[in-house]
Amino acid sequence: MTISADAISTPRYILHFERKPLAPVVSKLLSIQDYHVIYGFSDKIHFDKFIANYPMPLTPYPLVKIHLKNVNESVGNGLNLIAINATGPEAVEVLAATNLEVLEAHIHHHDQVPASYRLKFDSETQAYHVEESLV
């Protein structure tokens, strides 16, 4: 895997709320029918910062290869993203990598993944807009 200049730390953790991975609210992606976006964190410092800015109790879990593989299979050709190291549910901008990029980083023990996407928060709609990262 080639790492771009716009690389971010590989996420190793996810946060669960009521036994489900926590996901940002994302505006409907018009060109893509199936998509799946979750928050991922590279270390405890980052998920602690997010938890401090979230009103409900969250539980950290390791982000494991089996979860990444299952998500890839369930969404198929859709867009699977992991929003990495968000500081809270309304962070202005969050860099994201595809689920497949994160899976490959876990398999090959890479410390970084390319930031292929950006999520930009729209305070009017209270949702993120997904944009391809311009590297």
Side-chain angles (χ1 to χ4, degrees):
M1 169 179 11
T2 305
I3 303 297
S4 71
D6 206 8
I8 47 181
S9 297
T10 300
R12 308 277 177 206
Y13 303 93
I14 56 176
L15 294 173
H16 276 207
F17 176 69
E18 296 182 347
R19 296 185 168 182
K20 293 181 183 172
L22 189 64
V25 176
V26 176
S27 299
K28 178 136 177 71
L29 302 173
L30 299 177
S31 61
I32 299 170
Q33 290 221 337
D34 292 329
Y35 58 92
H36 181 261
V37 184
I38 63 169
Y39 289 111
F41 302 90
S42 59
D43 55 42
K44 185 178 182 337
I45 290 170
H46 293 290
F47 68 69
D48 280 347
K49 193 178 292 185
F50 188 97
I51 288 171
N53 291 312
Y54 198 78
M56 307 299 276
L58 301 171
T59 307
Y61 282 92
L63 180 57
V64 294
K65 289 180 239 178
I66 192 79
H67 172 78
L68 294 167
K69 287 177 185 175
N70 288 343
V71 168
N72 269 347
E73 291 171 4
S74 69
V75 179
N77 292 330
L79 182 62
N80 297 311
L81 294 179
I82 299 178
I84 302 173
N85 294 336
T87 56
E90 296 178 359
V92 174
E93 182 177 285
V94 182
L95 296 176
T98 67
N99 195 69
L100 187 57
E101 290 166 334
V102 173
L103 176 59
E104 287 180 13
H106 277 251
I107 289 169
H108 300 293
H109 307 287
H110 292 246
D111 291 332
Q112 294 186 316
V113 293
S116 309
Y117 291 84
R118 294 178 199 277
L119 280 64
K120 291 193 175 180
F121 190 74
D122 180 350
S123 57
E124 213 170 279
T125 63
Q126 293 291 297
Y128 283 95
H129 296 286
V130 178
E131 302 174 353
E132 283 196 64
S133 182
L134 302 174
V135 184

